[in-house]
Amino acid sequence: MDTFKDLMSGDTYYKTQYPQHNLVRSKAQFKLLQSVEAHQQKMQAFIAEQLV
């Protein structure tokens, strides 16, 4: 969550187009993480099937 860390340190690393841009990015990354966690078993099963 580098954009969140950058947000907390004053938006010094990632370029932003508007105030709170890194906050929007961070929220999207957290949402993606939640989705990955919610579907982890299905993804692992899919990968296991591909290895057979």
Side-chain angles (χ1 to χ4, degrees), residues 1 3 21-35:
M1 305 299 167
T3 55
H21 193 180
N22 277 334
L23 178 60
V24 171
R25 290 173 174 162
S26 297
K27 286 180 178 181
Q29 289 176 339
F30 279 117
K31 205 106 162 112
L32 176 60
L33 175 62
Q34 289 174 329
S35 178

Side-chain angles (χ1 to χ4, degrees), residues 3-5 7 9 12 15 17 22-23 25 27 33 39-42 44-45 48 50:
T3 55
F4 184 69
K5 186 167 55 172
L7 172 68
S9 66
T12 57
K15 294 184 189 253
Q17 301 297 318
N22 277 334
L23 178 60
R25 290 173 174 162
K27 286 180 178 181
L33 175 62
H39 297 94
Q40 184 175 2
Q41 289 180 338
K42 289 181 184 179
Q44 287 175 330
Q50 303 307 308

